[in-house]
Amino acid sequence: MEVAMSLSPLHRVSFPGLLAAGLVATGLLLAGCSGTDDDSPPDPSLDPRGQAPVEVGAARADAAPLPEGAQARSLLGDVLFPPPLDPDLRAEREANLEEAIAERDADPDEPEGWIWVGRHQAYLGEYRDAIETFSQGWERFSGDARFLRHRGHRHLTLRDFDGAIADLARGIDEAGEAMGEIEPDGLPNPLGIPLTTLGFNLWYHRALAEYLKGDFETALASWRSTLEVSDNPDLQVATRYWLHLTLRQLGRDAEALEAIAAIDSDTEVIENASYRDLILFFRGELDDETLLGDPEEGLAAVTTLYGVAAHHLLEGDEVEARARFQEILERPEQWPAFGYVAAEAEVARRGW
């Protein structure tokens, strides 16, 4: 696990094969110029562009109070309110939350009920309420790492990277044998197959928080730990995508390419086609026009735009990168998406 050479390869397996082999886990909700290829360690006081690193996402004691209903401030200082929802979708999610509250109140000694109330609050964009619910659950059921997993995820959504890392790291320590438990989907994928485990979600979100904070060395170790619990193609694709970008941020370009070598166009995925296609783009097998030619909306568009922008940035093309980051920031309704948060982080770090 100490070097990229030790990363296990991804075998080509169809999803029927995955099901037969019992490899499917639970839901993934979903998100400078290049350095040298030599083996000399980077100077930890500088990022690959020779600039002093700028930490983003740290809580500020002097921050002004949020307006009523606001969830957070972006890394660029914008006030963030719950994203708009289609009226029918909002009504459906509100009904789901009411049902979850009733079930929890009917049996308050069952931790599952508290978890689902928090999850349904988050699906409505009420992330601060969700964090409060998960905090109450953790107080009642200390030792149940699921509360730290979900609270950490929502700290990440609200740009509190330190809070996310603290929760997720403790969750990893607390989970024990529960690390391998399948996590049910709240927003199922088209096949209704849950894809992730508790352990995957703890490591994945921790690594992502470290990446977004700009702590790439620590994120690298966490992505490698995430890879160890990425036991189906969707999880492998997502983890290797971020692992590649982390290595590139560190200027370790040869290892970055090695990290994605196991993924190809035949890698079958349920949820993470955007990440798979971006990996092909990183290797030059797809171009910008192919990835971005058809106008897209929603999460997939933001995911793709960030991957394209980050690649151009790490290739040294700041003009193209800035244009793509701006395209993301012009979609403020997508502010909870990981690609949107990552674009904010890149722009904030450089003072653009």
Side-chain angles (χ1 to χ4, degrees):
M1 267 287 287
E2 290 303 313
V3 295
M5 287 291 290
S6 67
L7 301 179
S8 58
L10 172 66
H11 300 290
R12 296 183 194 172
V13 184
S14 67
F15 267 91
L18 277 175
L19 291 169
L23 291 176
V24 174
T26 75
L28 178 61
L29 295 177
L30 313 122
C33 62
S34 60
T36 63
D37 292 341
D38 63 26
D39 295 327
S40 59
D43 181 345
S45 67
L46 300 175
D47 74 8
R49 292 157 299 281
Q51 302 166 324
V54 178
E55 183 176 303
V56 297
R60 288 181 48 189
D62 62 344
L66 290 170
E68 184 177 355
Q71 299 299 300
R73 292 185 191 278
S74 78
L75 300 175
L76 304 174
D78 299 317
V79 176
L80 303 173
F81 289 89
L85 292 172
D86 173 84
D88 290 339
L89 180 59
R90 170 167 289 280
E92 177 185 339
R93 292 187 179 182
E94 287 175 344
N96 290 340
L97 174 58
E98 290 177 8
E99 182 179 351
I101 290 172
E103 291 179 359
R104 178 200 62 185
D105 292 348
D107 189 3
D109 293 326
E110 169 55 52
E112 201 76 25
W114 292 83
I115 289 170
W116 279 107
V117 169
R119 292 184 73 171
H120 285 299
Q121 287 169 325
Y123 300 153
L124 283 163
E126 301 292 345
Y127 302 111
R128 298 176 73 84
D129 288 348
I131 287 173
E132 178 60 26
T133 297
F134 296 136
S135 296
Q136 292 171 0
W138 175 245
E139 290 174 6
R140 281 174 166 263
F141 309 102
S142 59
D144 189 332
R146 292 178 297 174
F147 290 102
L148 296 175
R149 169 269 188 268
H150 287 289
R151 189 172 72 177
H153 181 173
R154 293 315 168 188
H155 278 305
L156 176 56
T157 303
L158 298 188
R159 282 60 171 167
D160 177 9
F161 303 148
D162 288 336
I165 292 165
D167 272 354
L168 297 162
R170 184 171 182 183
I172 289 166
D173 291 339
E174 296 276 357
E177 294 181 358
M179 290 286 277
E181 290 183 359
I182 292 174
E183 186 169 280
D185 284 341
L187 302 174
N189 59 52
L191 297 186
I193 300 174
L195 294 174
T196 63
T197 59
L198 174 61
F200 172 84
N201 279 312
L202 285 164
W203 275 115
Y204 184 90
H205 292 95
R206 174 181 173 173
L208 186 58
E210 291 161 349
Y211 176 94
L212 295 171
K213 184 180 176 180
D215 186 359
F216 300 120
E217 286 285 1
T218 306
L220 177 59
S222 294
W223 286 124
R224 286 174 169 165
S225 293
T226 308
L227 196 61
E228 292 183 348
V229 291
S230 298
D231 58 2
N232 64 59
D234 271 270
L235 307 191
Q236 286 267 330
V237 164
T239 302
R240 290 179 181 276
Y241 165 86
W242 288 108
L243 176 60
H244 171 88
L245 288 179
T246 302
L247 285 162
R248 291 227 53 197
Q249 294 277 11
L250 291 167
R252 296 162 67 169
D253 295 352
E255 290 176 71
L257 286 174
E258 194 172 322
I260 58 174
I263 308 299
D264 60 27
S265 59
D266 293 327
T267 302
E268 295 185 36
V269 293
I270 294 176
E271 295 181 6
N272 290 323
S274 294
Y275 284 150
R276 180 198 58 202
D277 292 347
L278 282 164
I279 285 173
L280 301 179
F281 168 71
F282 295 157
R283 289 206 300 258
E285 297 172 25
L286 292 177
D287 57 23
D288 295 48
E289 184 176 349
T290 301
L291 281 175
L292 301 171
D294 295 326
E296 284 187 294
E297 300 298 331
L299 177 63
V302 170
T303 298
T304 301
L305 280 166
Y306 175 73
V308 170
H311 179 76
H312 285 300
L313 180 66
L314 295 164
E315 289 289 305
D317 188 350
E318 289 195 356
V319 173
E320 180 67 16
R322 290 182 71 170
R324 297 302 187 186
F325 289 140
Q326 186 58 40
E327 285 187 63
I328 295 170
L329 299 178
E330 289 172 355
R331 302 167 187 248
E333 72 282 357
Q334 292 297 323
W335 69 260
F338 293 154
Y340 194 102
V341 185
E344 278 184 12
E346 299 287 4
V347 172
R349 223 176 342 257
R350 291 162 182 80
W352 286 347

